[in-house]
Amino acid sequence: MKKFTVGLMGLFLFFLVSPGISQAAPKELVLGCNFILSGPAASLGLGMQRSVDRATELINPKGFMVGGEQYILKPAYFDSKYVPAESVSNLEKMLAQGIKFVYSTGSGV
């Protein structure tokens, strides 16, 4: 019985001091998407939105590495309404939110 207790205590101490395998939560890479989601060309923007959503579904289960760090993709959608001034406004909103990566279609910025 004494050997069993000593062995159990040794096992407990081993797990107590051994470094555990921890996985840090992946960081998010926010992709600002300036698409035409309403207005006369909404079908173009909605198709682009579905494409980005599908790409996100395919990429995020495993994530991707940037500079040795694990990331997942998080799209943020902005509606340009096919109006150039709205695209500029959307870009300003993205920059104010700290979004560094932008994907824009339709009325240009």
Side-chain angles (χ1 to χ4, degrees):
M1 185 69 169
K2 186 176 180 180
K3 286 184 180 184
F4 176 74
T5 306
V6 171
L8 190 60
M9 285 178 49
L11 187 63
F12 174 75
L13 287 173
F14 172 76
F15 284 113
L16 183 67
V17 297
S18 66
I21 300 172
S22 66
Q23 278 196 302
K27 294 182 178 183
E28 290 183 341
L29 188 142
V30 181
L31 176 65
C33 300
N34 183 48
F35 295 156
I36 308 161
L37 301 175
S38 63
S43 60
L44 296 172
L46 293 173
M48 297 297 293
Q49 182 182 22
R50 289 184 187 116
S51 297
V52 170
D53 285 341
R54 180 64 180 142
T56 301
E57 289 174 5
L58 295 173
I59 292 170
N60 283 349
K62 292 185 178 181
F64 57 95
M65 299 292 286
V66 176
E69 295 183 0
Q70 186 76 13
Y71 282 85
I72 60 171
L73 185 63
K74 180 183 175 189
Y77 297 105
F78 295 84
D79 184 10
S80 71
K81 303 175 186 119
Y82 207 54
V83 176
E86 193 69 29
S87 290
V88 173
S89 174
N90 288 343
L91 178 60
E92 291 170 349
K93 290 175 192 174
M94 289 182 222
L95 293 173
Q97 293 177 19
I99 296 174
K100 297 178 183 178
F101 303 96
V102 177
Y103 182 24
S104 182
T105 63
S107 51
V109 175

